[in-house]
């Protein structure tokens, strides 16, 4: 089993910044893609940004140029640096990590518990 713990959410004014972290722990052999999703009230969960094990990244059009995803493989951690935040960025942010627990097992996608980000004046 793999556990994910997110942190870094909170209340910030429009134009401000936050940095989210997601640490993976447990029975980890290898970590593949690491992805941030978000879900606003009354809306479907949407992909925000993803990063592969090789460091390739992709972003939702709504956050390009404002958010940066990165990872520290030695720490099994993925980050989301969020700048120039807007009220429409308000949501619960979830990390999703594809990981395998041994050489013989297929990767499985694990979810974190979510961290609230509120952008408001």
């Amino acid at each position: 089993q793999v556990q994910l713990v997110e942190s870094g959410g909170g209340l910030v004014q429009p134009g401000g910044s936050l940095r989210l972290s997601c640490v993976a722990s447990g029975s980890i052999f290898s970590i593949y893609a690491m992805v941030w999703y978000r879900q606003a009230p009354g809306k479907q969960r949407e992909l925000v940004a993803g990063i592969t094990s090789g460091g390739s990244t992709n972003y939702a059009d709504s956050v390009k140029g404002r958010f940066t995803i990165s990872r520290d493989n030695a720490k099994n951690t993925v980050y989301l640096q969020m700048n120039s935040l807007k009220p429409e960025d308000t949501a619960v942010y979830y990390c999703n990590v594809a990981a395998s627990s041994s050489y013989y097992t297929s990767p499985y996608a694990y979810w974190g518990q979510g961290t609230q980000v509120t952008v408001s004046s």
Side-chain angles (χ1 to χ4, degrees):
Q1 280 287 5
V2 175
Q3 295 79 44
L4 303 179
V5 177
E6 298 134 333
S7 61
L11 173 64
V12 64
Q13 292 186 341
S17 298
L18 284 174
R19 188 193 195 205
L20 305 183
S21 300
C22 173
V23 181
S25 63
S27 181
I28 299 172
F29 172 75
S30 186
I31 293 178
Y32 303 92
M34 307 180 87
V35 185
W36 286 99
Y37 288 82
R38 67 185 180 188
Q39 187 166 21
K43 294 188 177 181
Q44 289 188 332
R45 191 170 297 189
E46 63 175 356
L47 186 147
V48 176
I51 185 167
T52 67
S53 57
S56 296
T57 60
N58 68 294
Y59 297 91
D61 288 343
S62 60
V63 307
K64 281 181 181 176
R66 300 187 298 122
F67 291 10
T68 302
I69 189 170
S70 61
R71 62 191 285 170
D72 184 333
N73 292 326
K75 296 182 178 179
N76 292 337
T77 301
V78 60
Y79 304 98
L80 186 68
Q81 178 66 44
M82 305 186 294
N83 299 329
S84 303
L85 283 161
K86 304 175 181 179
E88 51 263 44
D89 295 317
T90 295
V92 178
Y93 284 69
Y94 300 89
C95 67
N96 177 278
V97 172
S100 60
S101 58
S102 76
Y103 177 83
Y104 302 100
T105 57
S106 298
Y108 182 83
Y110 297 89
W111 288 94
Q113 81 287 354
T115 185
Q116 177 70 46
V117 171
T118 302
V119 185
S120 176
S121 55

